[in-house]
Amino acid sequence: MWLYYLLKTMSAIISHLPYKLVVNIGVTLGHLYWRIAKKQRIRAEETMCERLGVSKEEARKNIKGLFVKTGITFLEILYMPALNKDNIRGLVTIDRPEIMWEALSEGKGVVVLACHMDNWEWLGAALALYGFPLSAVEKPQPNRVYSNFMNELRTGVGQEIFSRGTSEILGCARAMKKGRMLGLIADQDGGYNGIFVPFFGKMASTPNGPAYFSRKFKAPIVPAFIVRNENYYGHRVIVKDPIYYEDTGDQKTDDYNVTLKMTRTIEEIIREYPDNWLWFQHRWNTPYTPPEEEDGNLDEK
């Protein structure tokens, strides 16, 4: 339990500091992270060069910016107990919040499509503190103590949290039936149960949760991405137009099509803010087997 008490103590200290001081400390931490995390830094730079087609110099500049922002994000997460309904509007602005309210008014629940942009933890916090009825699914970390600590921070700002690997499907279904928002991150590797779609020119297994809940509840998918302000202080949430599931009766094709639309939307925001996305994550981890090769393997058997 020492880790839990350490995190709680750090959070208690950080959340009592002035926000600008927290950011400045985070900048220093980010520069240190960039220097010592050589393996992640190289992987991120190589991935950006390969997927975006940028020069090594541009990739290095963007990835250094990413590491600095990641350092700030770490401190901001510890700062979360200081967030409340009174100060959140000065720290996070939401573009076009009316899009979300209109989607909610349909009464079918809303799938909020998010990705690992900037401080995605503050995206959930901001939506909840702005008054949106937000439920979300968390991916348990290898260290359960850390997961419990993070869930305390999330619920502390008003989010309803379901842990992946438990009865989260039932919890999410109940949330959708109540007309709530369901926040799902869909830019990580989806494993062998994911839907393979092209992501920056390479087939990537993509989580099928957004397609499933949109199809099941006929709910709109509203993409919402958080990006950091240029001066590092505060954030902006960019809300995109809703994506609707088109049910033609061919579930596999329909799931693929809506997942492809979501993935293209994520690509667009990453291209616009390349130093805000986690390029060092293992996005293309699950190997892709083209359908014709799968058919060939079956014929051989």
Side-chain angles (χ1 to χ4, degrees), residues 127-175:
L127 292 177
L129 290 172
Y130 264 79
F132 291 102
L134 181 67
S135 301
V137 177
E138 66 100 12
K139 180 181 179 180
Q141 300 300 312
N143 191 315
R144 190 66 240 181
V145 172
Y146 179 72
S147 289
N148 291 340
F149 169 72
M150 288 301 304
N151 286 337
E152 283 187 17
L153 295 180
R154 294 162 180 151
T155 57
V157 292
Q159 297 182 68
E160 180 181 42
I161 298 297
F162 305 111
S163 294
R164 190 181 301 176
T166 58
S167 58
E168 79 276 11
I169 300 298
L170 292 176
C172 291
R174 294 191 188 101

Coordinates of all heavy atoms in Angstrom, one line a residue, residues 127-175:
L127 N -15.7 17.2 -19.0 CA -17.1 16.8 -19.4 C -18.0 16.6 -18.2 O -19.1 17.1 -18.2 CB -17.1 15.6 -20.3 CG -16.5 15.7 -21.7 CD1 -16.5 14.4 -22.4 CD2 -17.2 16.8 -22.5
A128 N -17.5 15.9 -17.2 CA -18.3 15.6 -16.0 C -18.6 16.9 -15.2 O -19.7 17.2 -14.8 CB -17.6 14.6 -15.1
L129 N -17.6 17.8 -15.1 CA -17.7 19.0 -14.3 C -18.5 20.1 -15.1 O -19.1 20.9 -14.5 CB -16.3 19.6 -14.0 CG -15.6 18.7 -12.9 CD1 -14.1 19.3 -12.8 CD2 -16.3 18.8 -11.6
Y130 N -18.6 19.9 -16.4 CA -19.4 20.8 -17.2 C -20.9 20.4 -17.0 O -21.8 21.1 -17.5 CB -19.0 20.8 -18.6 CG -18.1 21.9 -19.0 CD1 -16.7 21.9 -18.7 CD2 -18.6 23.1 -19.7 CE1 -15.9 22.9 -19.1 CE2 -17.7 24.1 -20.1 CZ -16.4 24.0 -19.8 OH -15.5 25.0 -20.2
G131 N -21.2 19.2 -16.5 CA -22.5 18.8 -16.3 C -23.0 17.7 -17.1 O -24.1 17.2 -17.1
F132 N -22.1 17.1 -18.0 CA -22.5 16.0 -18.9 C -22.5 14.7 -18.0 O -21.6 14.5 -17.3 CB -21.5 15.9 -20.0 CG -21.6 17.0 -21.0 CD1 -20.6 18.0 -21.0 CD2 -22.6 17.1 -21.9 CE1 -20.7 19.1 -21.9 CE2 -22.7 18.1 -22.9 CZ -21.8 19.1 -22.8
P133 N -23.5 13.9 -18.2 CA -23.6 12.6 -17.5 C -22.7 11.6 -18.1 O -23.1 10.8 -19.0 CB -25.1 12.2 -17.6 CG -25.5 12.8 -19.0 CD -24.7 14.1 -19.1
L134 N -21.5 11.5 -17.6 CA -20.4 10.7 -18.3 C -20.1 9.4 -17.5 O -19.8 9.4 -16.3 CB -19.1 11.5 -18.4 CG -18.0 10.8 -19.1 CD1 -18.3 10.6 -20.6 CD2 -16.7 11.7 -19.0
S135 N -20.2 8.3 -18.2 CA -19.7 7.0 -17.8 C -18.5 6.7 -18.7 O -18.4 7.1 -19.8 CB -20.7 6.0 -17.9 OG -21.9 6.3 -17.1
A136 N -17.5 5.9 -18.1 CA -16.3 5.6 -18.9 C -15.8 4.2 -18.5 O -16.1 3.8 -17.4 CB -15.3 6.6 -18.8
V137 N -15.1 3.6 -19.4 CA -14.5 2.3 -19.1 C -13.0 2.5 -18.9 O -12.3 3.1 -19.8 CB -14.7 1.3 -20.3 CG1 -14.0 0.0 -20.0 CG2 -16.2 1.1 -20.5
E138 N -12.4 2.0 -17.8 CA -11.0 2.1 -17.6 C -10.3 0.8 -17.8 O -10.8 -0.3 -17.6 CB -10.7 2.6 -16.2 CG -11.1 1.6 -15.1 CD -9.9 0.9 -14.5 OE1 -8.8 1.2 -14.8 OE2 -10.2 -0.1 -13.7
K139 N -9.1 0.9 -18.4 CA -8.3 -0.3 -18.6 C -7.4 -0.5 -17.4 O -6.5 0.3 -17.1 CB -7.4 -0.1 -19.9 CG -6.5 -1.3 -20.2 CD -5.7 -1.1 -21.4 CE -4.7 -2.2 -21.7 NZ -3.9 -2.0 -22.9
P140 N -7.6 -1.6 -16.6 CA -6.8 -1.8 -15.4 C -5.3 -1.8 -15.7 O -4.9 -2.4 -16.7 CB -7.3 -3.2 -14.9 CG -8.7 -3.3 -15.5 CD -8.6 -2.6 -16.8
Q141 N -4.5 -1.1 -14.9 CA -3.1 -1.1 -15.1 C -2.5 -2.4 -14.4 O -3.1 -3.0 -13.6 CB -2.5 0.1 -14.4 CG -3.0 1.4 -15.0 CD -2.7 1.5 -16.5 OE1 -1.6 1.3 -16.9 NE2 -3.7 1.9 -17.3
P142 N -1.3 -2.7 -14.8 CA -0.6 -3.9 -14.2 C -0.6 -3.8 -12.7 O -0.7 -4.8 -11.9 CB 0.8 -3.9 -14.8 CG 0.6 -3.2 -16.1 CD -0.5 -2.2 -15.9
N143 N -0.4 -2.6 -12.2 CA -0.4 -2.3 -10.7 C -1.8 -1.9 -10.3 O -2.2 -0.8 -10.6 CB 0.6 -1.2 -10.4 CG 0.8 -1.2 -8.9 OD1 -0.1 -1.1 -8.1 ND2 2.1 -1.1 -8.5
R144 N -2.5 -2.7 -9.6 CA -3.9 -2.5 -9.2 C -4.0 -1.3 -8.3 O -5.0 -0.5 -8.3 CB -4.5 -3.7 -8.6 CG -6.0 -3.7 -8.3 CD -6.7 -3.7 -9.7 NE -7.6 -2.5 -9.8 CZ -8.3 -2.3 -10.9 NH1 -8.4 -3.1 -11.8 NH2 -9.0 -1.2 -10.9
V145 N -3.0 -1.0 -7.5 CA -3.0 0.1 -6.6 C -3.1 1.4 -7.4 O -3.9 2.3 -7.1 CB -1.8 0.1 -5.7 CG1 -1.7 1.4 -4.9 CG2 -1.8 -1.1 -4.8
Y146 N -2.3 1.5 -8.5 CA -2.4 2.7 -9.3 C -3.7 2.8 -10.0 O -4.3 4.0 -10.0 CB -1.3 2.6 -10.4 CG -1.3 3.8 -11.3 CD1 -0.8 5.0 -10.9 CD2 -1.7 3.7 -12.6 CE1 -0.8 6.1 -11.7 CE2 -1.7 4.8 -13.5 CZ -1.2 6.0 -13.0 OH -1.2 7.1 -13.9
S147 N -4.3 1.7 -10.4 CA -5.7 1.8 -11.0 C -6.7 2.3 -10.0 O -7.5 3.1 -10.4 CB -6.1 0.4 -11.5 OG -5.3 0.0 -12.7
N148 N -6.6 1.8 -8.8 CA -7.6 2.3 -7.8 C -7.4 3.8 -7.5 O -8.4 4.5 -7.3 CB -7.3 1.5 -6.5 CG -7.8 0.0 -6.6 OD1 -8.5 -0.3 -7.5 ND2 -7.2 -0.8 -5.8
F149 N -6.2 4.2 -7.5 CA -5.9 5.6 -7.2 C -6.5 6.5 -8.4 O -7.1 7.5 -8.1 CB -4.4 5.9 -7.1 CG -4.0 7.3 -7.1 CD1 -4.2 8.1 -6.0 CD2 -3.4 7.9 -8.3 CE1 -3.9 9.5 -6.0 CE2 -3.0 9.2 -8.3 CZ -3.3 10.0 -7.2
M150 N -6.3 6.0 -9.6 CA -6.8 6.8 -10.8 C -8.3 6.8 -10.7 O -8.9 7.8 -11.1 CB -6.3 6.2 -12.1 CG -4.8 6.4 -12.3 SD -4.4 8.2 -12.4 CE -5.5 8.7 -13.7
N151 N -8.9 5.7 -10.4 CA -10.4 5.6 -10.3 C -11.0 6.6 -9.3 O -12.1 7.1 -9.4 CB -10.9 4.2 -10.1 CG -10.7 3.4 -11.4 OD1 -10.7 3.9 -12.5 ND2 -10.6 2.1 -11.3
E152 N -10.2 6.7 -8.2 CA -10.7 7.7 -7.1 C -10.7 9.1 -7.7 O -11.6 9.9 -7.4 CB -9.7 7.6 -5.9 CG -10.0 6.4 -5.0 CD -9.1 6.5 -3.8 OE1 -8.6 7.6 -3.4 OE2 -9.0 5.4 -3.1
L153 N -9.6 9.4 -8.5 CA -9.6 10.7 -9.1 C -10.7 10.9 -10.1 O -11.3 12.0 -10.1 CB -8.2 10.9 -9.8 CG -7.0 10.9 -9.0 CD1 -5.7 11.1 -9.9 CD2 -7.0 12.0 -7.9
R154 N -11.0 9.9 -10.9 CA -12.1 10.0 -11.9 C -13.4 10.2 -11.2 O -14.2 11.0 -11.7 CB -12.0 8.8 -12.8 CG -10.8 8.7 -13.6 CD -10.5 7.3 -14.2 NE -9.3 7.2 -15.0 CZ -8.6 6.1 -15.1 NH1 -9.0 5.0 -14.5 NH2 -7.5 6.1 -15.9
T155 N -13.7 9.3 -10.3 CA -15.0 9.4 -9.6 C -15.1 10.7 -8.8 O -16.2 11.2 -8.6 CB -15.3 8.2 -8.7 OG1 -14.2 8.1 -7.7 CG2 -15.4 6.9 -9.5
G156 N -14.0 11.2 -8.3 CA -14.0 12.4 -7.5 C -14.5 13.7 -8.3 O -15.0 14.6 -7.7
V157 N -14.4 13.6 -9.7 CA -14.8 14.7 -10.5 C -16.2 14.4 -11.1 O -16.7 15.2 -11.9 CB -13.8 15.1 -11.6 CG1 -12.5 15.7 -11.0 CG2 -13.5 13.9 -12.5
G158 N -16.8 13.3 -10.7 CA -18.2 13.1 -11.1 C -18.4 12.0 -12.2 O -19.5 11.9 -12.7
Q159 N -17.3 11.3 -12.6 CA -17.5 10.3 -13.6 C -17.9 9.0 -13.0 O -17.6 8.6 -11.8 CB -16.2 10.0 -14.3 CG -15.6 11.2 -15.1 CD -14.3 10.8 -15.8 OE1 -14.3 10.0 -16.7 NE2 -13.2 11.4 -15.3
E160 N -18.7 8.2 -13.8 CA -19.0 6.8 -13.4 C -18.1 5.9 -14.1 O -17.9 6.0 -15.4 CB -20.5 6.5 -13.8 CG -20.9 5.1 -13.5 CD -22.3 4.8 -13.9 OE1 -22.7 5.2 -15.1 OE2 -23.1 4.1 -13.2
I161 N -17.4 5.0 -13.4 CA -16.3 4.3 -14.0 C -16.6 2.8 -13.9 O -17.0 2.2 -12.9 CB -14.9 4.5 -13.3 CG1 -14.6 6.0 -13.4 CG2 -13.8 3.6 -13.8 CD1 -14.3 6.5 -14.8
F162 N -16.3 2.1 -15.1 CA -16.4 0.6 -15.2 C -15.0 0.1 -15.5 O -14.4 0.7 -16.4 CB -17.4 0.2 -16.2 CG -18.8 0.8 -16.1 CD1 -19.3 1.7 -17.0 CD2 -19.6 0.5 -15.0 CE1 -20.5 2.3 -16.8 CE2 -20.9 1.0 -14.8 CZ -21.3 1.9 -15.7
S163 N -14.6 -1.0 -14.9 CA -13.3 -1.6 -15.1 C -13.4 -2.6 -16.2 O -14.3 -3.5 -16.1 CB -12.7 -2.1 -13.8 OG -12.5 -1.1 -12.9
R164 N -12.6 -2.6 -17.1 CA -12.5 -3.6 -18.2 C -12.1 -4.9 -17.6 O -11.3 -5.0 -16.7 CB -11.5 -3.2 -19.3 CG -11.6 -4.1 -20.5 CD -10.6 -3.7 -21.5 NE -10.7 -2.3 -21.9 CZ -9.9 -1.7 -22.7 NH1 -8.8 -2.3 -23.2 NH2 -10.1 -0.4 -23.1
G165 N -12.8 -6.0 -18.0 CA -12.5 -7.3 -17.5 C -13.5 -7.7 -16.4 O -13.3 -8.8 -15.8
T166 N -14.4 -6.9 -16.0 CA -15.4 -7.2 -15.0 C -16.7 -7.4 -15.7 O -16.9 -8.0 -16.7 CB -15.4 -6.1 -13.9 OG1 -15.7 -4.8 -14.5 CG2 -14.0 -6.0 -13.3
S167 N -17.8 -6.7 -15.2 CA -19.1 -6.8 -15.8 C -19.3 -5.4 -16.5 O -20.5 -4.9 -16.5 CB -20.2 -7.1 -14.8 OG -20.1 -6.1 -13.8
E168 N -18.3 -4.9 -17.1 CA -18.4 -3.5 -17.7 C -19.4 -3.5 -18.8 O -20.0 -2.4 -19.0 CB -17.0 -3.0 -18.2 CG -16.5 -3.6 -19.5 CD -15.8 -4.9 -19.4 OE1 -15.9 -5.5 -18.4 OE2 -15.2 -5.3 -20.4
I169 N -19.6 -4.6 -19.6 CA -20.6 -4.5 -20.7 C -22.0 -4.2 -20.1 O -22.7 -3.4 -20.7 CB -20.6 -5.9 -21.4 CG1 -19.2 -6.1 -22.0 CG2 -21.6 -5.8 -22.5 CD1 -18.8 -5.1 -23.0
L170 N -22.3 -4.9 -19.0 CA -23.7 -4.7 -18.4 C -23.8 -3.2 -17.9 O -24.8 -2.6 -18.0 CB -23.9 -5.7 -17.3 CG -24.1 -7.1 -17.7 CD1 -24.2 -8.0 -16.5 CD2 -25.3 -7.3 -18.6
G171 N -22.7 -2.8 -17.3 CA -22.7 -1.4 -16.7 C -22.8 -0.4 -17.8 O -23.6 0.6 -17.7
C172 N -22.1 -0.6 -18.9 CA -22.2 0.3 -20.0 C -23.6 0.3 -20.6 O -24.1 1.4 -21.0 CB -21.1 0.0 -21.1 SG -19.4 0.3 -20.6
A173 N -24.2 -0.9 -20.8 CA -25.5 -1.0 -21.3 C -26.5 -0.2 -20.5 O -27.4 0.5 -21.0 CB -25.9 -2.4 -21.5
R174 N -26.4 -0.4 -19.2 CA -27.3 0.3 -18.3 C -27.1 1.9 -18.4 O -28.1 2.6 -18.4 CB -27.1 -0.1 -16.8 CG -27.4 -1.5 -16.5 CD -27.4 -1.8 -15.0 NE -27.6 -3.2 -14.7 CZ -26.6 -4.0 -14.4 NH1 -25.3 -3.5 -14.3 NH2 -26.8 -5.3 -14.1
A175 N -25.9 2.3 -18.5 CA -25.6 3.7 -18.7 C -26.3 4.2 -20.0 O -26.9 5.3 -20.0 CB -24.1 4.0 -18.7

